[in-house]
Amino acid sequence: GLRKSHLIVEQTRSRNELMIGLYGERSKDDFYALEPHKQEIENELNIKFDWREMPTKKSTYIVEVTPNIAFDDASKQQEYFDFIIDRLLRMRTAFLKYLTKWN
């Protein structure tokens, strides 16, 4: 369903951040299809996204950044894994609802 974008999970250990969202690598089509529904998507998921159009690049991001992740704490690994899977599945469902109208 996400032909022009894909879901991503990135960790930034230097800032202890986890970034989960949608990345449009060589096209902004999905970003532009989703942007008019920004409020609906954020309300449905109860997530405040960082909508990064990046005007000087061909790529875009729609991401949730979670700070204060203790990547080296083994006791938290299952919690983080469950969080990531939950977020990806919920994002996929919400984004596809709007993208299938355009693809």
Side-chain angles (χ1 to χ4, degrees):
L2 300 173
R3 294 185 299 193
K4 298 178 182 178
S5 301
H6 54 273
L7 295 169
I8 60 159
V9 177
E10 292 182 9
Q11 62 178 336
T12 306
R13 288 181 167 267
S14 63
R15 292 191 308 266
N16 296 321
E17 289 180 344
L18 183 65
M19 187 169 74
I20 304 171
L22 190 71
Y23 173 62
E25 190 171 358
R26 289 183 287 278
S27 172
K28 295 187 178 196
D29 293 350
D30 290 343
F31 181 90
Y32 293 137
L34 292 169
E35 191 176 38
H37 305 284
K38 175 181 177 176
Q39 197 63 51
E40 296 164 75
I41 292 167
E42 290 182 349
N43 289 344
E44 177 181 335
L45 295 173
N46 196 28
I47 297 172
K48 178 69 176 154
F49 288 106
D50 183 359
W51 296 72
R52 302 177 185 175
E53 182 182 4
M54 301 180 5
T56 62
K57 303 197 183 255
K58 292 182 182 179
S59 56
T60 60
Y61 285 97
I62 302 171
V63 294
E64 175 189 24
V65 178
T66 305
N68 305 317
I69 300 293
F71 291 110
D72 295 325
D73 184 347
S75 69
K76 300 252 184 202
Q77 288 180 354
Q78 187 64 48
E79 176 186 337
Y80 294 151
F81 182 76
D82 292 345
F83 175 78
I84 291 166
I85 295 302
D86 175 68
R87 283 299 203 256
L88 289 172
L89 291 173
R90 291 176 57 223
M91 286 178 186
R92 182 182 183 276
T93 300
F95 293 151
L96 280 176
K97 185 179 351 180
Y98 298 100
L99 292 177
T100 55
K101 295 176 184 178
W102 308 104
N103 289 331

